[in-house]
């Protein structure tokens, strides 16, 4: 598989890199929190479910040539969550996703990482219009999408709700 985007990115405070086997334990901090996952996967995961989800993100890179990154804070070397490209087979279009453990909310990490992913998407995937696909009650994610310049374009039925499609700017 030829990768279509860089395998590692860096911002002022963050490193975005491929997931590694031991990352599932830190990623479980997000996936085991029912409040954090309420609007994404809809429940707290078991350790096995977190591991399989991380493996699906690794596999996404193999199938599509791009995918979600492990989000690492430089100063602490902690894995905060995931930010990157996401396009599972039941999604309406390729998206920029973000999912951070609750301890790291409100500190600008998701915004900083998503801006870098937007930039890389424009540079390496210019033919792919990117969205963020957001649960209708996930107001913090909607606000982040808007801060990133994404515009509410559509609302579509998905998993028992009407989800919002935010279109990211091409430039």
């Amino acid at each position: 598989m030829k990768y279509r985007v860089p395998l590692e990115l860096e911002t002022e405070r963050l490193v975005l890199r491929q997931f590694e086997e031991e990352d599932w334990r830190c990623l479980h901090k997000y996936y085991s929190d029912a409040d954090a996952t309420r609007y994404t996967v809809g429940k707290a995961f078991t350790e096995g479910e977190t591991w399989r989800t991380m493996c699906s993100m690794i596999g996404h890179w193999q199938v599509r040539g791009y995918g979600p990154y492990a989000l690492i804070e430089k100063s602490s070397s902690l894995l905060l969550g995931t930010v990157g490209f996401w396009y599972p087979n039941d999604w309406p279009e390729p998206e920029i996703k973000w999912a951070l453990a609750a301890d790291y909310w409100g500190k600008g990490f998701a915004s900083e990482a998503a801006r870098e992913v937007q930039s890389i998407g424009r540079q390496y995937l210019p033919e792919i219009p990117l969205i963020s696909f957001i649960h209708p009650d996930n107001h913090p994610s909607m606000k982040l999408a808007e801060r990133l310049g994404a515009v509410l374009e559509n609302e579509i039925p998905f998993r028992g709700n009407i989800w919002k499609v935010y279109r990211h700017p091409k430039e």
Side-chain angles (χ1 to χ4, degrees):
M1 164 55 66
K2 181 179 180 213
Y3 296 111
R4 299 180 63 193
V5 297
L7 299 178
E8 187 169 300
L9 308 174
E10 193 169 321
T11 69
E12 182 180 337
R13 300 181 298 160
L14 304 166
V15 172
L16 288 78
R17 62 157 172 79
Q18 296 289 287
F19 280 97
E20 299 169 357
E21 184 177 356
E22 63 276 1
D23 289 339
W24 77 267
R25 294 184 199 292
C26 290
L27 195 58
H28 192 59
K29 185 172 184 175
Y30 167 76
Y31 281 109
S32 65
D33 181 343
D35 287 332
T37 59
R38 174 181 306 137
Y39 303 126
T40 56
V41 297
K43 67 174 191 157
F45 275 6
T46 66
E47 289 181 345
E49 288 169 321
T50 296
W51 187 84
R52 286 187 290 280
T53 297
M54 185 190 76
C55 289
S56 78
M57 289 190 273
I58 293 168
H60 192 286
W61 282 88
Q62 301 303 309
V63 172
R64 301 240 188 243
Y66 56 83
Y69 295 95
L71 182 60
I72 311 297
E73 183 184 29
K74 286 180 184 178
S75 66
S76 67
S77 297
L78 290 173
L79 187 145
L80 311 180
T82 181
V83 176
F85 304 105
W86 189 235
Y87 188 26
N89 69 353
D90 60 344
W91 246 233
E93 296 180 59
E95 106 164 301
I96 297 175
K97 71 176 273 168
W98 48 81
L100 277 64
D103 289 352
Y104 312 116
W105 293 354
K107 299 179 181 183
F109 293 126
S111 175
E112 184 176 329
R115 283 184 198 286
E116 184 66 17
V117 170
Q118 267 186 334
S119 175
I120 292 302
R122 287 185 200 114
Q123 183 178 354
Y124 291 89
L125 305 170
E127 75 286 1
I128 298 178
L130 295 166
I131 65 166
S132 284
F133 195 40
I134 303 175
H135 186 282
D137 297 328
N138 192 345
H139 300 289
S141 276
M142 287 183 248
K143 287 179 183 175
L144 175 53
E146 290 167 359
R147 282 195 309 273
L148 294 169
V151 176
L152 178 61
E153 178 181 274
N154 199 4
E155 296 181 349
I156 62 173
F158 185 74
R159 297 184 182 165
N161 253 306
I162 304 296
W163 285 51
K164 297 182 181 287
V165 176
Y166 280 82
R167 178 77 52 199
H168 288 272
K170 288 249 183 206
E171 306 177 356

